[in-house]
């Protein structure tokens, strides 16, 4: 069974004793100026935050009870909120290093300059490129490789869905892997309401992306939701809280539908990591700049350092993020993975 899904508190309360200790630690206002300066010049060597810390604060503070695009830079929710339904997403998460982030920021700046220097009257309605690398407060943000569509689970489906996905990921025996990125492109979302500047990963058949996508698609399909990047569509409703296999009796429909999700397909051409977005279709100047030799050369120069290490799958249901580790070589050798 998966761990119970719990909401994360928005704030952390600190005890009064912490406040008192901080007050005592303040430098004496009557002390010498040189002592204060010497204390402030000591290098900071704080350890990095643990990976699970980011999962605790993966959601922003809710500022409105209704969907208001004005609060989200004009973005509209692709799936309207419905009481009793839980937005769900399966994905891989990548926190770029500071060097990687700087390289990507320069590439985005190059495209912004290309758009601004060639802007015409027809392009004046273009609202510009928004980076996904940092927040409005310039805090580093994680990037994602999607393994599912934006799903909307019923309350009764949350635990069974998480259990099935975690079990399937373990049985898949996909080990941690590294993916490099070889090109940039623009893609639109399913609704055509936003366009994304994306990095395309290298097409390596053994890197685990296709196998993890197949696992996530199988789980979504069993619970009555359309898979990502494939044409298979659920054909019958699912009772909330139960998977398709648990509610259907064997019949010709089951036999016909099963093979569609039993064959892993090569979807390497569809995988991507979004690094920026726009509300409107990018002007031709930006599209041309993205495909230019200048950007291709710049990307080639940083390709050796532009790679992502994936050691787990993230399952986000509502505001709760569950980290599902991939199988290590040690676990596989000890026989902890089902054949």
């Amino acid at each position: 069974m998966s761990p119970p899904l719990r909401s994360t508190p928005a704030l952390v309360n600190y005890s009064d004793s912490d406040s008192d200790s901080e007050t005592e630690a303040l430098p004496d206002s009557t002390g010498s100026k040189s002592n204060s300066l010497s204390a402030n010049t000591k290098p900071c060597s704080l350890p990095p935050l643990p990976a699970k810390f980011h999962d605790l604060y993966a959601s922003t503070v809710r500022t409105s009870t209704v969907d208001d695009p004005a609060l989200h830079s004009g973005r509209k929710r692709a799936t309207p909120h419905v009481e009793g339904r839980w937005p769900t997403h399966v994905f891989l998460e990548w926190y770029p290093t500071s060097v990687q982030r700087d390289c990507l920021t320069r590439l985005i700046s190059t495209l912004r300059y290309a758009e601004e220097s060639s802007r015409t009257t027809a392009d004046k309605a273009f609202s510009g490129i928004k980076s996904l690398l940092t927040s409005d407060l310039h805090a580093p943000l994680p990037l994602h490789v999607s393994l599912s569509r934006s799903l909307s689970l019923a309350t009764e489906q949350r635990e069974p869905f998480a259990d099935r996905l975690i079990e399937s990921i373990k049985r898949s025996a996909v080990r941690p892997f590294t993916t490099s990125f070889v090109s940039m492109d623009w893609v639109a979302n399913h609704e055509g309401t936003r366009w994304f500047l994306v990095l395309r990963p290298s097409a390596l058949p053994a890197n685990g992306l296709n196998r993890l996508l197949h696992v996530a698609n199988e789980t979504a399909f069993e619970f009555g939701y359309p898979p990502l990047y494939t044409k298979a569509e659920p054909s019958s409703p699912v009772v909330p809280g139960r998977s398709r296999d648990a509610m259907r009796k064997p019949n010709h429909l089951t036999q016909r539908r099963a093979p569609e999700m039993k064959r892993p397909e090569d979807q390497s051409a569809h995988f991507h990591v979004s690094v920026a977005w726009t509300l409107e279709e990018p002007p031709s100047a930006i599209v041309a700049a993205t495909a230019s030799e200048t950007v291709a050369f710049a990307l080639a120069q940083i390709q050796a350092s532009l790679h992502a290490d994936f050691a787990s799958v993230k399952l986000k249901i509502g505001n709760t993020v569950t980290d599902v580790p991939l199988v290590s070589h040690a676990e596989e050798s000890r026989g902890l993975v089902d054949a």
Side-chain angles (χ1 to χ4, degrees), residues 2 35 43 49 58 65 89 92 100 135 160 202 247 256 269 298 329:
S2 64
N35 290 337
L49 292 171
T65 57
H89 190 210
L92 301 176
Q100 292 171 332
S135 68
S202 56
M247 59 158 264
R256 186 179 76 250
H329 179 69

Side-chain angles (χ1 to χ4, degrees), residues 19-142:
S19 300
D20 294 340
S21 62
E22 290 183 3
T23 303
E24 294 172 1
L26 291 174
D28 187 359
S29 59
T30 61
S32 65
K33 185 175 182 180
S34 59
N35 290 337
S36 298
L37 289 175
S38 61
N40 291 335
T41 56
K42 293 181 179 179
C44 179
S45 57
L46 294 176
L49 292 171
K52 290 186 177 181
F53 176 85
H54 300 292
D55 297 339
L56 296 176
Y57 299 94
S59 300
T60 56
V61 178
R62 188 176 182 181
T63 56
S64 175
T65 57
V66 297
D67 295 336
D68 187 356
L71 299 175
H72 307 284
S73 302
R75 291 172 291 179
K76 298 180 181 179
R77 187 190 294 268
T79 304
H81 173 70
V82 177
E83 193 70 26
R85 310 293 296 191
W86 298 80
T88 301
H89 190 210
V90 184
F91 57 95
L92 301 176
E93 189 171 74
W94 171 37
Y95 267 92
T97 65
S98 57
V99 173
Q100 292 171 332
R101 202 177 301 275
D102 289 343
C103 292
L104 293 174
T105 298
R106 288 195 295 270
L107 285 174
I108 294 174
S109 298
T110 299
L111 299 182
R112 283 174 173 161
Y113 176 78
E115 187 273 328
E116 292 171 358
S117 61
S118 60
R119 177 173 292 189
T120 64
T121 304
D123 297 331
K124 287 185 177 180
F126 183 66
S127 59
I129 302 175
K130 283 83 171 176
S131 174
L132 290 171
L133 300 174
T134 58
S135 68
D136 293 338
L137 299 177
H138 304 290
L141 294 176

Side-chain angles (χ1 to χ4, degrees), residues 111-178:
L111 299 182
R112 283 174 173 161
Y113 176 78
E115 187 273 328
E116 292 171 358
S117 61
S118 60
R119 177 173 292 189
T120 64
T121 304
D123 297 331
K124 287 185 177 180
F126 183 66
S127 59
I129 302 175
K130 283 83 171 176
S131 174
L132 290 171
L133 300 174
T134 58
S135 68
D136 293 338
L137 299 177
H138 304 290
L141 294 176
L143 304 178
H144 308 100
V145 178
S146 291
L147 297 176
S148 77
R149 297 191 187 191
S150 296
L151 310 178
S152 183
L153 297 183
T155 299
E156 297 83 358
Q157 288 181 309
R158 292 182 300 164
E159 295 288 351
F161 185 93
D163 290 341
R164 178 62 63 89
L165 180 67
I166 293 171
E167 177 189 4
S168 298
I169 291 174
K170 180 181 178 181
R171 292 176 66 90
S172 72
V174 175
R175 298 179 186 176
F177 59 91
T178 298

Side-chain angles (χ1 to χ4, degrees), residues 207-222:
N207 66 3
L209 280 175
N210 279 296
R211 291 161 65 189
L212 290 176
L213 175 66
H214 178 67
V215 166
N217 276 343
E218 270 197 325
T219 305
F221 189 80
E222 289 174 4

